């Protein structure tokens, strides 16, 4: 172990030295001559560049123009930025890189895989999106307004049901934890769904079916979703401060 403190700025050099020593002793190696594979460290919806993700490459080499699948989304690398914000043409094993060209905002921890062509990427993405949608709709169908009023009339615990959408995964987690801690004996806060990206039709449908409130943190819905929410009388709250 190594004693470190970011606050006092001590132990960082020792930590890096020990990591390199362990790598050498364990003979850890990665093949750079293959299709890239890694995991998302962080992802966000950038107002100017669209969805972007910071990916840690674990094996292979990622190049500009590569087709990829990440979580339920697909894309083609439009630009790569290193940790200093400089444009680069490729990134190899152990390199963190910011990737532009995603079709949506993935979750932190999602696997990033380069595939051979655009068609394969879209097919995998569509199959995964369908599974996610089915699971969300299934979760929503279990909760209805009738059940809510039944619980209230029987004197059971009342629920405030919430759907959270934010621009960054860290904000989603902070909001979810903060709201959950607000539960008390009289009212229970139940986060039905949470994720990174704009407010979607699926969110509006789920909120309508379960009598939930949608909280948008630094994100907004498009005109179609706003119209649907208005018709279904779904309450959407927009915030910029936790």
């Amino acid at each position: 172990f190594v004693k470190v403190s970011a606050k006092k700025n001590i132990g960082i050099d020792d930590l890096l030295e020990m990591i390199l020593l362990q790598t050498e002793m364990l003979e850890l190696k990665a093949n750079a001559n293959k299709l890239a594979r890694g995991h998302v460290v962080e992802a966000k919806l950038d107002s100017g560049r669209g969805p972007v993700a910071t990916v840690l490459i674990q094996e292979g080499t990622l190049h500009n123009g590569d087709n990829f699948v990440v979580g339920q989304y697909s894309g083609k690398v439009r630009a790569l930025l290193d940790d200093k914000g400089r444009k680069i043409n490729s990134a190899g094993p152990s390199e963190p890189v910011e990737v532009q060209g995603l079709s949506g905002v993935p979750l932190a921890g999602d696997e990033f895989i380069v595939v051979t062509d655009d068609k394969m990427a879209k097919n995998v993405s569509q199959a995964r999106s369908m599974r996610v949608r089915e699971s969300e709709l299934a979760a929503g169908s279990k909760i209805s307004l009738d059940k809510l009023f039944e619980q209230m009339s029987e004197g059971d615990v009342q629920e405030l049901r919430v759907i959270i959408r934010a621009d960054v995964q860290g904000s989603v987690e902070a909001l979810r934890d903060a709201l959950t801690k607000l539960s008390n004996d009289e009212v229970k806060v139940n986060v039905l769904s949470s994720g990174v990206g704009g407010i979607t039709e699926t969110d509006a449908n789920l909120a309508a079916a379960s009598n939930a409130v949608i909280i948008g943190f630094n994100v907004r819905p498009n005109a179609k979703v706003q119209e649907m929410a208005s018709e279904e009388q779904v309450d959407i709250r927009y915030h910029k401060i936790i």
Side-chain angles (χ1 to χ4, degrees), residues 172-223:
V172 173
E173 293 172 2
L175 283 165
R176 188 171 58 226
D177 292 344
L179 288 170
T180 304
K181 288 176 183 176
L182 291 176
S183 297
N184 55 38
D185 294 336
E186 295 177 357
V187 180
K188 178 185 176 185
V189 179
N190 184 7
V191 180
L192 300 182
S193 174
S194 61
V196 179
I199 300 167
T200 65
E201 293 178 37
T202 303
D203 297 328
N205 285 326
L206 179 57
S210 56
N211 196 27
V213 176
I214 299 176
I215 295 178
F217 186 77
N218 278 336
V219 295
R220 301 185 76 87
N222 59 36

Side-chain angles (χ1 to χ4, degrees), residues 120-134:
M120 180 186 290
K122 287 182 178 177
N123 287 341
V124 174
S125 171
Q126 286 173 358
R128 290 182 176 180
S129 296
M130 189 67 71
R131 285 203 298 270
V132 170
R133 182 177 176 134
E134 286 173 356

